[in-house]
Amino acid sequence: MSVVDAIARDLRRAVLSGELAAGTPLTEWEVAKRYEVARPTGKAAVEQLVYDRLLVRDNHRSARVVTLGADDVRDIYRTRAHLESEVVRRLARAHTDVPAARAANAEISALTDDSALEVVGPDMRFHTALVDALGSPRISRMYGSLVTEVTLCMTQVQGRHLLETTLITAEHEQLLNLIAAGEESRAVAVLELHLVRARERLVGAIGGVAQSEAVARP
């Protein structure tokens, strides 16, 4: 791993963990000083996060940690819902068991509500395992392009304690059982409610007008 990649990875961790909060400015000089590297190296690391949409740079100003608005959150969740719903349909038609997703859910089950942010990693692995179980490299790549922004949303959801760990694991288990049983429509309904609940609670928490979880569409 190059120095630039190592710095970018650590900065990515800091953003996704909430250590670098939304709106925090991050100059090339600050990055260079923080990691004791030359300024061009710091600039290259910053540009990686700009490319990943974790940092934004407006009108040649210093980069800042992205701030997600209500429209951003809804667009991210609706995009993943369209993709994940189709994945769940196809998996259910084949009565697919997904051991990797069950393993990720077991990791979440071992956590408590006091460790909300620790849920993010295995939660992301759970949903990624469902997509990968379809066996389509192109669909996995499409989903992979959303992972950074999805993880950022999930970090904000868990950082605000908007979802109970027990609720997450219960819905995950229900979803897996319905897929394995071939209950296509019910599985999609569980997935959509699962995503809508996280979406609308986050929208409300960041100052948007939350819709009813029972009627809001993906």
Side-chain angles (χ1 to χ4, degrees):
M1 180 179 295
S2 70
V3 173
V4 171
D5 289 342
I7 293 172
R9 184 175 69 172
D10 191 61
L11 290 174
R12 192 176 292 110
R13 175 204 57 76
V15 172
L16 294 177
S17 69
E19 181 183 325
L20 290 174
T24 301
L26 197 64
T27 68
E28 299 155 6
W29 181 84
E30 288 171 333
V31 172
K33 182 178 179 181
R34 175 173 178 169
Y35 294 98
E36 299 181 345
V37 295
R39 185 167 178 172
T41 302
K43 179 180 180 180
V46 167
E47 290 303 322
Q48 281 199 24
L49 269 71
V50 171
Y51 179 80
D52 287 343
R53 298 182 296 277
L54 288 177
L55 299 179
V56 293
R57 194 195 297 275
D58 299 322
N59 299 322
H60 304 291
R61 296 179 181 176
S62 297
R64 291 179 176 271
V65 177
V66 66
T67 299
L68 297 177
D71 289 343
D72 299 310
V73 170
R74 285 203 170 105
D75 189 45
I76 291 167
Y77 270 93
R78 282 173 175 153
T79 301
R80 68 177 294 203
H82 291 317
L83 184 54
E84 289 189 49
S85 293
E86 183 59 25
V87 167
V88 165
R89 289 183 195 280
R90 291 174 179 268
L91 293 177
R93 287 172 196 166
H95 296 257
T96 310
D97 189 39
V98 189
R102 292 192 182 277
N105 203 38
E107 289 185 54
I108 300 173
S109 297
L111 300 172
T112 66
D113 287 330
D114 293 333
S115 306
L117 279 173
E118 294 180 29
V119 170
V120 175
D123 195 329
M124 195 70 250
R125 288 194 291 278
F126 174 89
H127 289 275
T128 300
L130 292 179
V131 175
D132 290 345
L134 201 59
S136 169
R138 289 171 179 80
I139 291 177
S140 290
R141 283 201 300 271
M142 288 173 61
Y143 191 73
S145 70
L146 297 172
V147 163
T148 297
E149 290 179 303
V150 170
T151 303
L152 188 59
C153 286
M154 290 168 59
T155 298
Q156 295 196 33
V157 168
Q158 293 305 113
R160 290 175 166 84
H161 298 273
L162 300 179
L163 290 174
E164 302 83 0
T165 302
T166 51
L167 176 61
I168 294 171
T169 56
E171 289 186 340
H172 282 179
E173 183 175 2
Q174 184 183 16
L175 178 59
L176 290 172
N177 290 340
L178 288 171
I179 290 172
E183 299 274 358
E184 180 182 332
S185 297
R186 291 181 62 197
V188 171
V190 168
L191 172 71
E192 291 181 347
L193 177 59
H194 183 69
L195 297 181
V196 163
R197 180 182 291 111
R199 184 189 80 200
E200 293 307 316
R201 290 188 184 184
L202 179 54
V203 165
I206 62 178
V209 178
Q211 300 172 3
S212 167
E213 296 170 9
V215 300
R217 295 183 63 82

